[in-house]
Coordinates of all heavy atoms in Angstrom, one line a residue:
L19 N 111.2 87.5 111.6 CA 112.5 87.0 112.0 C 112.5 85.5 112.1 O 113.5 84.9 111.8 CB 112.9 87.6 113.3 CG 113.3 89.1 113.4 CD1 113.6 89.5 114.8 CD2 114.5 89.3 112.5
K20 N 111.4 84.9 112.5 CA 111.4 83.5 112.7 C 111.6 82.7 111.5 O 111.9 81.5 111.5 CB 110.2 83.0 113.5 CG 108.9 83.1 112.8 CD 107.8 82.6 113.6 CE 106.5 82.7 112.9 NZ 105.4 82.2 113.8
W21 N 111.3 83.3 110.3 CA 111.5 82.6 109.0 C 112.8 82.7 108.4 O 113.1 82.0 107.4 CB 110.4 83.1 108.1 CG 109.0 82.9 108.6 CD1 108.1 83.8 109.0 CD2 108.4 81.6 108.9 NE1 107.0 83.3 109.4 CE2 107.1 81.9 109.4 CE3 108.7 80.3 108.8 CZ2 106.2 80.9 109.8 CZ3 107.8 79.3 109.2 CH2 106.6 79.6 109.7
I22 N 113.8 83.4 109.0 CA 115.1 83.4 108.5 C 115.8 82.2 108.9 O 115.9 81.8 110.1 CB 115.9 84.7 109.1 CG1 115.2 86.0 108.6 CG2 117.3 84.7 108.6 CD1 115.8 87.2 109.3
P23 N 116.3 81.4 107.9 CA 117.0 80.1 108.2 C 118.1 80.2 109.2 O 118.8 81.2 109.3 CB 117.5 79.7 106.8 CG 116.7 80.4 105.8 CD 116.3 81.7 106.5
F24 N 118.1 79.3 110.1 CA 119.0 79.2 111.2 C 118.8 80.3 112.3 O 118.7 80.0 113.4 CB 120.5 79.2 110.8 CG 121.5 79.0 111.9 CD1 121.5 77.7 112.6 CD2 122.3 80.0 112.3 CE1 122.4 77.6 113.7 CE2 123.1 79.8 113.4 CZ 123.2 78.6 114.1
F25 N 118.9 81.5 111.9 CA 118.7 82.7 112.8 C 117.4 82.6 113.6 O 117.3 82.7 114.8 CB 118.8 84.0 112.1 CG 118.6 85.2 113.0 CD1 119.5 85.6 113.9 CD2 117.3 85.8 113.1 CE1 119.3 86.6 114.8 CE2 117.1 86.8 113.9 CZ 118.1 87.3 114.8
G26 N 116.3 82.3 112.8 CA 115.0 82.2 113.4 C 114.9 81.1 114.5 O 114.3 81.3 115.5
Q27 N 115.4 80.0 114.1 CA 115.4 78.9 115.1 C 116.2 79.2 116.3 O 115.8 78.9 117.4 CB 115.9 77.6 114.4 CG 115.0 77.1 113.3 CD 115.7 76.3 112.2 OE1 116.9 76.4 112.1 NE2 114.9 75.6 111.4
L28 N 117.4 79.7 116.1 CA 118.3 80.1 117.2 C 117.6 81.2 118.1 O 117.7 81.1 119.3 CB 119.6 80.6 116.7 CG 120.7 80.9 117.7 CD1 121.1 79.7 118.5 CD2 121.9 81.5 117.0
Y29 N 117.0 82.1 117.5 CA 116.3 83.2 118.1 C 115.2 82.6 119.1 O 115.2 82.9 120.3 CB 115.7 84.1 117.1 CG 115.0 85.4 117.7 CD1 115.8 86.5 118.0 CD2 113.7 85.5 117.8 CE1 115.2 87.6 118.5 CE2 113.1 86.6 118.3 CZ 113.9 87.7 118.6 OH 113.3 88.8 119.1
W30 N 114.4 81.7 118.6 CA 113.3 81.1 119.3 C 113.9 80.2 120.4 O 113.4 80.2 121.6 CB 112.4 80.3 118.4 CG 111.3 79.7 119.1 CD1 110.2 80.3 119.6 CD2 111.1 78.3 119.5 NE1 109.3 79.4 120.3 CE2 109.9 78.2 120.2 CE3 111.9 77.2 119.2 CZ2 109.5 77.0 120.6 CZ3 111.4 76.0 119.7 CH2 110.2 75.9 120.4
L31 N 114.9 79.3 120.1 CA 115.4 78.4 121.1 C 116.2 79.1 122.2 O 116.3 78.5 123.3 CB 116.4 77.4 120.3 CG 115.7 76.4 119.5 CD1 116.7 75.6 118.6 CD2 114.9 75.4 120.2
S32 N 116.7 80.3 122.0 CA 117.4 81.0 123.1 C 116.5 81.7 124.0 O 116.9 82.4 124.9 CB 118.4 82.0 122.4 OG 117.7 83.0 121.7
G33 N 115.1 81.5 123.8 CA 114.2 82.0 124.8 C 113.6 83.3 124.5 O 112.8 83.9 125.3
N34 N 113.8 83.8 123.2 CA 113.2 85.1 122.8 C 111.7 84.9 122.6 O 111.3 83.8 122.2 CB 113.9 85.6 121.5 CG 115.2 86.1 121.8 OD1 115.4 87.2 122.4 ND2 116.2 85.3 121.4
I35 N 111.0 85.9 122.9 CA 109.5 85.9 122.7 C 109.1 86.5 121.4 O 109.5 87.6 121.1 CB 108.8 86.6 123.9 CG1 109.2 86.0 125.2 CG2 107.3 86.6 123.7 CD1 108.9 86.8 126.4
L36 N 108.4 85.7 120.6 CA 108.0 86.3 119.3 C 106.5 86.6 119.4 O 105.7 85.9 119.8 CB 108.2 85.2 118.2 CG 109.6 84.7 118.0 CD1 109.6 83.5 117.1 CD2 110.4 85.8 117.3
I37 N 106.2 87.9 119.0 CA 104.9 88.4 119.1 C 104.3 88.6 117.7 O 104.9 89.3 116.9 CB 104.8 89.7 119.9 CG1 105.3 89.5 121.3 CG2 103.4 90.3 119.9 CD1 105.5 90.8 122.2
D38 N 103.2 88.0 117.5 CA 102.4 88.1 116.2 C 101.7 89.4 116.2 O 100.6 89.5 116.7 CB 101.5 86.9 116.0 CG 100.8 87.0 114.7 OD1 101.0 87.9 113.9 OD2 100.0 86.1 114.4
R39 N 102.3 90.5 115.7 CA 101.6 91.8 115.7 C 100.5 91.9 114.7 O 99.7 92.9 114.8 CB 102.7 92.9 115.5 CG 103.6 93.0 116.7 CD 104.7 93.9 116.5 NE 104.5 95.1 115.7 CZ 105.4 96.0 115.5 NH1 106.6 95.8 115.9 NH2 105.2 97.0 114.7
S40 N 100.3 91.0 113.9 CA 99.2 91.1 112.9 C 97.9 90.5 113.6 O 96.8 90.8 113.0 CB 99.5 90.2 111.7 OG 99.6 88.9 112.0
N41 N 98.0 89.8 114.7 CA 96.9 89.3 115.4 C 96.8 89.9 116.8 O 97.6 89.4 117.7 CB 96.9 87.7 115.4 CG 95.7 87.1 116.0 OD1 95.0 87.7 116.8 ND2 95.4 85.9 115.6
R42 N 96.0 90.8 117.1 CA 96.0 91.5 118.3 C 95.7 90.6 119.6 O 96.4 90.7 120.6 CB 95.0 92.7 118.3 CG 95.0 93.6 119.5 CD 94.0 94.7 119.2 NE 93.8 95.6 120.4 CZ 94.6 96.6 120.7 NH1 95.5 97.0 119.9 NH2 94.4 97.3 121.8
S43 N 94.8 89.7 119.4 CA 94.4 88.8 120.5 C 95.6 87.8 120.8 O 95.9 87.5 122.0 CB 93.1 88.1 120.3 OG 93.2 87.2 119.2
K44 N 96.2 87.3 119.8 CA 97.4 86.5 120.0 C 98.6 87.2 120.6 O 99.2 86.7 121.5 CB 97.9 86.0 118.6 CG 97.7 84.5 118.4 CD 98.3 84.1 117.1 CE 98.4 82.6 116.9 NZ 98.9 82.3 115.6
A45 N 98.7 88.5 120.2 CA 99.8 89.3 120.8 C 99.6 89.6 122.3 O 100.5 89.5 123.1 CB 99.9 90.6 120.0
A46 N 98.3 89.8 122.6 CA 98.0 90.1 124.0 C 98.2 88.8 124.9 O 98.6 88.9 126.0 CB 96.5 90.6 124.2
G47 N 97.9 87.7 124.3 CA 98.1 86.4 125.0 C 99.5 86.1 125.2 O 99.9 85.7 126.3
T48 N 100.4 86.4 124.2 CA 101.8 86.3 124.4 C 102.4 87.2 125.5 O 103.2 86.8 126.3 CB 102.5 86.5 123.0 OG1 102.0 85.7 122.0 CG2 104.0 86.3 123.1
I49 N 101.9 88.4 125.5 CA 102.3 89.4 126.5 C 101.9 88.9 127.9 O 102.7 88.9 128.9 CB 101.8 90.8 126.2 CG1 102.5 91.4 125.0 CG2 101.8 91.7 127.4 CD1 102.0 92.7 124.5
S50 N 100.7 88.3 128.0 CA 100.2 87.8 129.3 C 101.1 86.6 129.8 O 101.5 86.5 131.0 CB 98.8 87.3 129.2 OG 97.9 88.4 129.0
K51 N 101.5 85.7 128.8 CA 102.3 84.6 129.2 C 103.7 85.1 129.6 O 104.3 84.5 130.6 CB 102.5 83.6 128.0 CG 101.2 82.8 127.7 CD 101.5 81.9 126.5 CE 100.2 81.3 126.0 NZ 100.4 80.5 124.8
A52 N 104.2 86.1 128.9 CA 105.5 86.6 129.3 C 105.5 87.2 130.7 O 106.4 87.0 131.5 CB 106.0 87.7 128.3
A53 N 104.4 88.0 131.0 CA 104.3 88.6 132.3 C 104.2 87.5 133.4 O 104.8 87.6 134.5 CB 103.0 89.5 132.4
A54 N 103.5 86.4 133.1 CA 103.4 85.3 134.1 C 104.7 84.7 134.3 O 105.1 84.4 135.5 CB 102.4 84.3 133.6
K55 N 105.5 84.5 133.3 CA 106.8 83.9 133.5 C 107.8 84.8 134.2 O 108.6 84.3 135.0 CB 107.5 83.5 132.1 CG 106.9 82.2 131.6 CD 107.6 81.8 130.3 CE 107.0 80.5 129.8 NZ 107.7 80.0 128.6
I56 N 107.7 86.1 134.0 CA 108.5 87.1 134.7 C 108.2 87.0 136.2 O 109.1 87.0 137.0 CB 108.3 88.5 134.1 CG1 108.8 88.6 132.7 CG2 108.9 89.6 135.0 CD1 108.3 89.9 132.0
K57 N 107.0 86.9 136.5 CA 106.5 86.9 138.0 C 107.0 85.5 138.6 O 107.5 85.5 139.7 CB 105.0 87.0 138.1 CG 104.6 88.4 137.9 CD 103.1 88.5 137.9 CE 102.5 88.7 139.3 NZ 101.1 89.1 139.3
Q58 N 106.7 84.5 137.8 CA 107.0 83.1 138.3 C 108.4 82.9 138.6 O 108.8 82.3 139.6 CB 106.5 82.1 137.2 CG 105.7 80.9 137.7 CD 105.3 80.2 136.5 OE1 106.0 80.0 135.5 NE2 104.0 79.7 136.5
K59 N 109.3 83.2 137.6 CA 110.7 82.9 137.7 C 111.6 84.0 138.1 O 112.7 83.9 138.2 CB 111.1 82.3 136.4 CG 110.4 81.0 135.9 CD 110.9 80.5 134.7 CE 110.2 79.2 134.3 NZ 110.7 78.6 133.1
G60 N 111.0 85.2 138.3 CA 111.8 86.3 138.7 C 112.8 86.8 137.6 O 113.9 87.1 137.9
L61 N 112.3 86.7 136.4 CA 113.2 87.0 135.2 C 113.4 88.5 135.0 O 112.5 89.3 135.3 CB 112.6 86.4 134.0 CG 112.4 84.9 133.9 CD1 111.7 84.5 132.6 CD2 113.7 84.2 134.0
S62 N 114.5 88.8 134.5 CA 114.8 90.1 133.9 C 114.6 90.0 132.4 O 115.1 89.0 131.8 CB 116.2 90.6 134.2 OG 116.3 90.9 135.6
V63 N 113.9 90.9 131.8 CA 113.6 90.8 130.4 C 114.1 92.1 129.6 O 113.8 93.2 130.1 CB 112.1 90.6 130.2 CG1 111.7 90.5 128.7 CG2 111.7 89.4 130.9
W64 N 114.7 91.9 128.5 CA 115.1 93.1 127.6 C 113.9 93.2 126.7 O 113.5 92.3 126.0 CB 116.3 92.8 126.8 CG 117.6 92.8 127.6 CD1 117.9 92.0 128.6 CD2 118.6 93.7 127.4 NE1 119.2 92.3 129.0 CE2 119.7 93.3 128.3 CE3 118.9 94.7 126.5 CZ2 120.9 94.0 128.4 CZ3 120.1 95.4 126.6 CH2 121.0 95.0 127.5
M65 N 113.4 94.5 126.6 CA 112.4 94.7 125.6 C 112.7 95.9 124.8 O 113.3 96.9 125.3 CB 111.0 94.9 126.3 CG 110.5 93.7 126.9 SD 108.8 94.0 127.3 CE 108.2 92.3 127.6
F66 N 112.4 95.9 123.5 CA 112.6 97.1 122.7 C 111.3 97.6 122.3 O 110.5 97.0 121.5 CB 113.4 96.6 121.4 CG 114.7 96.0 121.7 CD1 114.8 94.6 121.9 CD2 115.8 96.8 121.9 CE1 116.1 94.1 122.2 CE2 117.0 96.2 122.3 CZ 117.1 94.9 122.4
A67 N 111.0 98.8 122.9 CA 109.7 99.5 122.6 C 109.8 100.1 121.2 O 110.1 101.3 121.1 CB 109.4 100.5 123.6
E68 N 109.5 99.3 120.2 CA 109.7 99.8 118.8 C 108.6 100.9 118.5 O 107.5 100.9 119.1 CB 109.4 98.6 117.8 CG 110.3 97.5 118.1 CD 109.7 96.2 117.3 OE1 109.0 96.4 116.4 OE2 110.2 95.1 117.7
G69 N 109.0 101.8 117.6 CA 108.0 102.8 117.2 C 107.2 102.2 116.1 O 107.5 101.2 115.4
T70 N 106.1 102.9 115.8 CA 105.3 102.6 114.7 C 106.0 103.0 113.4 O 106.6 104.1 113.4 CB 103.9 103.3 114.8 OG1 103.4 103.0 116.0 CG2 103.0 102.9 113.7
R71 N 106.0 102.2 112.3 CA 106.6 102.6 111.1 C 106.0 103.9 110.5 O 104.8 104.0 110.5 CB 106.5 101.5 110.1 CG 107.4 100.4 110.4 CD 107.5 99.5 109.2 NE 108.5 98.4 109.5 CZ 108.2 97.3 110.0 NH1 107.0 96.9 110.3 NH2 109.2 96.4 110.3
S72 N 106.9 104.9 110.2 CA 106.4 106.2 109.7 C 106.5 106.4 108.3 O 105.9 107.3 107.7 CB 107.1 107.2 110.5 OG 108.5 107.3 110.0
Y73 N 107.3 105.6 107.6 CA 107.6 105.8 106.1 C 107.9 107.3 105.8 O 107.3 107.9 104.9 CB 106.4 105.3 105.3 CG 106.1 103.9 105.6 CD1 105.0 103.5 106.4 CD2 106.9 102.9 105.1 CE1 104.7 102.1 106.6 CE2 106.7 101.5 105.3 CZ 105.6 101.2 106.1 OH 105.3 99.9 106.3
G74 N 108.8 107.9 106.6 CA 109.3 109.2 106.4 C 108.4 110.3 106.9 O 108.7 111.5 106.7
R75 N 107.4 110.0 107.8 CA 106.6 111.1 108.3 C 107.0 111.5 109.7 O 106.3 112.1 110.4 CB 105.2 110.6 108.4 CG 104.5 110.3 107.0 CD 103.1 109.8 107.2 NE 103.2 108.5 107.9 CZ 102.3 107.7 108.1 NH1 101.1 107.9 107.6 NH2 102.4 106.6 108.8
G76 N 108.2 111.2 110.1 CA 108.7 111.6 111.4 C 108.5 110.5 112.4 O 108.2 109.4 112.1
L77 N 108.7 110.9 113.7 CA 108.6 109.9 114.8 C 107.2 109.7 115.2 O 106.4 110.7 115.5 CB 109.4 110.4 116.0 CG 109.6 109.5 117.2 CD1 110.3 108.2 116.8 CD2 110.4 110.2 118.3
L78 N 106.7 108.5 115.2 CA 105.4 108.1 115.6 C 105.4 107.5 117.0 O 106.5 107.2 117.5 CB 104.7 107.2 114.6 CG 104.5 107.8 113.2 CD1 104.0 106.7 112.2 CD2 103.6 109.0 113.2
P79 N 104.2 107.3 117.6 CA 104.2 106.7 119.0 C 104.9 105.3 119.1 O 104.9 104.6 118.2 CB 102.8 106.6 119.3 CG 102.1 107.5 118.3 CD 102.9 107.5 117.1
F80 N 105.5 105.0 120.3 CA 106.1 103.8 120.5 C 105.0 102.7 120.8 O 103.9 103.1 121.2 CB 107.0 103.8 121.8 CG 108.3 104.5 121.5 CD1 108.6 105.7 122.0 CD2 109.2 103.8 120.8 CE1 109.8 106.3 121.8 CE2 110.4 104.4 120.5 CZ 110.7 105.7 121.0
K81 N 105.3 101.5 120.5 CA 104.3 100.4 120.8 C 104.3 100.2 122.3 O 105.3 100.4 123.0 CB 104.8 99.0 120.1 CG 104.9 99.1 118.7 CD 103.5 99.1 118.1 CE 103.5 99.0 116.6 NZ 102.2 99.0 116.0
T82 N 103.2 99.8 122.9 CA 103.0 99.8 124.3 C 103.2 98.5 125.0 O 103.0 98.3 126.2 CB 101.7 100.4 124.7 OG1 100.6 99.7 124.1 CG2 101.5 101.9 124.3
G83 N 103.4 97.5 124.2 CA 103.4 96.1 124.7 C 104.4 95.9 125.9 O 104.2 95.2 126.8
A84 N 105.6 96.5 125.8 CA 106.6 96.4 126.8 C 106.1 96.9 128.1 O 106.3 96.4 129.2 CB 107.9 97.1 126.4
F85 N 105.4 98.0 128.1 CA 104.9 98.7 129.2 C 103.7 97.9 129.8 O 103.6 97.8 131.1 CB 104.5 100.2 128.9 CG 105.7 100.9 128.4 CD1 105.7 101.2 127.0 CD2 106.8 101.3 129.1 CE1 106.8 101.8 126.4 CE2 107.9 101.9 128.6 CZ 107.9 102.2 127.2
H86 N 102.9 97.4 129.0 CA 101.8 96.5 129.5 C 102.3 95.3 130.2 O 101.7 94.8 131.2 CB 100.8 96.1 128.3 CG 100.0 97.3 127.9 ND1 99.0 97.9 128.6 CD2 100.0 98.0 126.7 CE1 98.4 98.8 128.0 NE2 99.0 98.9 126.8
T87 N 103.4 94.7 129.6 CA 104.0 93.5 130.2 C 104.5 93.9 131.6 O 104.3 93.1 132.6 CB 105.1 93.0 129.3 OG1 104.6 92.8 128.0 CG2 105.7 91.7 129.9
A88 N 105.2 95.0 131.7 CA 105.7 95.4 133.0 C 104.6 95.6 134.1 O 104.7 95.2 135.2 CB 106.6 96.6 132.9
L89 N 103.5 96.3 133.6 CA 102.4 96.5 134.5 C 101.8 95.2 135.0 O 101.4 95.0 136.1 CB 101.3 97.4 133.9 CG 101.7 98.8 133.7 CD1 100.7 99.6 132.9 CD2 101.8 99.5 135.1
S90 N 101.6 94.2 134.0 CA 101.0 93.0 134.3 C 101.9 92.1 135.3 O 101.4 91.4 136.1 CB 100.8 92.1 133.1 OG 99.8 92.7 132.2
A91 N 103.2 92.2 135.1 CA 104.1 91.5 135.9 C 104.4 92.2 137.2 O 105.1 91.6 138.1 CB 105.4 91.2 135.2
E92 N 103.9 93.4 137.4 CA 104.1 94.2 138.6 C 105.6 94.4 138.8 O 106.1 94.2 140.0 CB 103.4 93.6 139.8 CG 101.9 93.5 139.6 CD 101.2 92.7 140.7 OE1 101.9 92.1 141.5 OE2 100.0 92.8 140.7
V93 N 106.4 94.8 137.8 CA 107.8 95.0 137.9 C 108.1 96.4 137.3 O 107.3 96.9 136.6 CB 108.6 93.9 137.1 CG1 108.4 92.6 137.8 CG2 108.2 93.9 135.7
P94 N 109.2 97.0 137.8 CA 109.6 98.3 137.3 C 110.1 98.3 135.9 O 110.7 97.2 135.4 CB 110.6 98.8 138.2 CG 111.2 97.5 138.8 CD 110.2 96.5 138.8
V95 N 110.0 99.4 135.2 CA 110.6 99.5 133.9 C 112.0 100.3 134.2 O 111.9 101.4 134.7 CB 109.8 100.4 132.9 CG1 110.5 100.6 131.6 CG2 108.5 99.6 132.6
V96 N 113.1 99.7 133.8 CA 114.4 100.3 134.0 C 115.0 100.7 132.7 O 115.3 99.8 131.9 CB 115.3 99.4 134.8 CG1 116.6 100.0 135.0 CG2 114.7 98.9 136.1
P97 N 115.1 102.0 132.4 CA 115.6 102.4 131.0 C 117.1 102.0 130.9 O 117.8 102.0 131.9 CB 115.4 103.9 131.0 CG 114.8 104.3 132.3 CD 114.7 103.1 133.2

């Protein structure tokens, strides 16, 4: 998303968190930073627990980053 002209810049500047899912350690670091900001500033965060791409094989497990962030920040998950 960040490479789409104008939209990517607006997305980032509005405070959205971009997670590099191709690099596991970078993604974990981003999640840790997000959890720290949530605790520090008392933020409410919208997260989309995306599913793994299935390419027509049905529903696969959801990504767990949103839940790990909530646990790290010690905040409830509100559906």
Side-chain angles (χ1 to χ4, degrees):
L19 288 174
K20 71 179 178 181
W21 300 114
I22 298 172
F24 184 69
F25 176 78
Q27 295 154 341
L28 183 63
Y29 186 81
W30 182 76
L31 288 171
S32 63
N34 288 286
I35 300 167
L36 299 168
I37 297 176
D38 182 1
R39 290 176 32 185
S40 65
N41 184 332
R42 188 174 172 91
S43 62
K44 244 183 174 178
T48 303
I49 287 173
S50 295
K51 286 179 190 176
K55 283 188 179 183
I56 291 168
K57 285 174 88 169
Q58 222 174 42
K59 298 182 179 184
L61 299 175
S62 292
V63 179
W64 287 65
M65 291 196 166
F66 300 93
E68 307 166 17
T70 305
R71 287 195 174 91
S72 70
Y73 301 105
R75 295 177 300 190
L77 187 62
L78 295 177
F80 285 108
K81 298 289 185 179
T82 58
F85 305 104
H86 288 291
T87 305
L89 287 171
S90 295
E92 299 172 351
V93 295
V95 175
V96 181

